[in-house]
Amino acid sequence: MNIPNLITVLRVVLIPIFILLFYLPYQWSYMAASSVFAFAAATDWLDGYLARRLEQSTPFGAFLDPVADKLMVAVALVLLVQEHGNFWLTFPAVVIIGREIVVSALREWMAEIGARAQVAVSKMGKWKTAAQMLALVILLANPSDLSFWVVVGYALLMVAAGLTLWSMVQYLRAAWPHLRINGENK
């Protein structure tokens, strides 16, 4: 267990705190939940930076980092869908969560056949993550009333969903030759 891995574990530990703050019946709870989420999102960058800088990358960290990210984002999306209860949040949430399931399964399968490098993280994924995290921070910080900031959050989440679909297509295109070959061998 090293510093980057401890930071990743902290991100997982922050999830129940984030949920608790989200459900507190106070006006300030929106900003508090959003702040914890933003802090956790920043630790995602920090643990990766430190792992590279300190040369402390580990198989455990490589496993836990994306799991922590996906848990954090999925929890935030589920909470927001429940709170907002509309198409503008539900549709991108389903796209984002659905894509994560598909790409995770694809990566696992590609690793099993020894071709994991074909589905590595791309720059598109970084842009998607940035739009998604910013959208979630904005939406968590505001009540579900239709305000300027909520509309900005919805728009950014739609952009993130579009980038999510595009990046999933890129993953599937990279994996297609392997999918076809294995499908033909059965």
Side-chain angles (χ1 to χ4, degrees):
M1 194 57 86
N2 57 34
I3 292 171
N5 288 348
L6 288 171
I7 293 171
T8 302
V9 169
L10 172 64
R11 196 159 58 253
V12 174
V13 170
L14 287 174
I15 292 171
I17 295 166
F18 157 65
I19 294 169
L20 177 67
L21 289 170
F22 183 83
Y23 280 116
L24 285 177
Y26 304 109
Q27 192 64 24
W28 55 262
S29 70
Y30 293 110
M31 193 55 73
S34 180
S35 297
V36 169
F37 182 87
F39 175 76
T43 66
D44 179 31
W45 172 83
L46 180 63
D47 65 15
Y49 172 79
L50 288 175
R52 287 185 300 276
R53 177 87 174 169
L54 302 174
E55 296 180 10
Q56 293 185 345
S57 295
T58 65
F60 176 70
F63 157 76
L64 188 60
D65 184 64
V67 169
D69 298 344
K70 287 168 185 35
L71 281 172
M72 192 175 75
V73 168
V75 166
L77 287 169
V78 168
L79 293 175
L80 287 167
V81 164
Q82 181 262 327
E83 177 86 6
H84 289 244
N86 64 44
F87 172 83
W88 302 108
L89 208 130
T90 303
F91 178 74
V94 168
V95 167
I96 291 166
I97 293 171
R99 180 262 189 199
E100 293 304 336
I101 293 168
V102 169
V103 171
S104 292
L106 181 63
R107 284 181 180 152
E108 184 177 326
W109 181 76
M110 294 293 284
E112 196 172 298
I113 65 167
R116 178 162 171 101
Q118 298 293 320
V119 288
V121 177
S122 68
K123 288 251 191 247
M124 177 74 65
K126 302 287 184 188
W127 285 103
K128 176 217 41 125
T129 299
Q132 177 179 276
M133 294 304 190
L134 183 56
L136 292 174
V137 167
I138 290 169
L139 289 167
L140 289 166
N142 293 280
S144 61
D145 307 328
L146 201 58
S147 67
F148 171 78
W149 287 110
V150 169
V151 171
V152 169
Y154 288 168
L156 282 169
L157 202 58
M158 284 290 193
V159 167
L163 292 172
T164 292
L165 287 175
W166 181 251
S167 69
M168 184 177 74
V169 167
Q170 298 301 323
Y171 282 116
L172 290 170
R173 287 177 66 196
W176 183 250
H178 300 283
L179 292 168
R180 242 185 50 203
I181 290 169
N182 284 334
E184 292 170 0
N185 290 339
K186 290 192 176 199

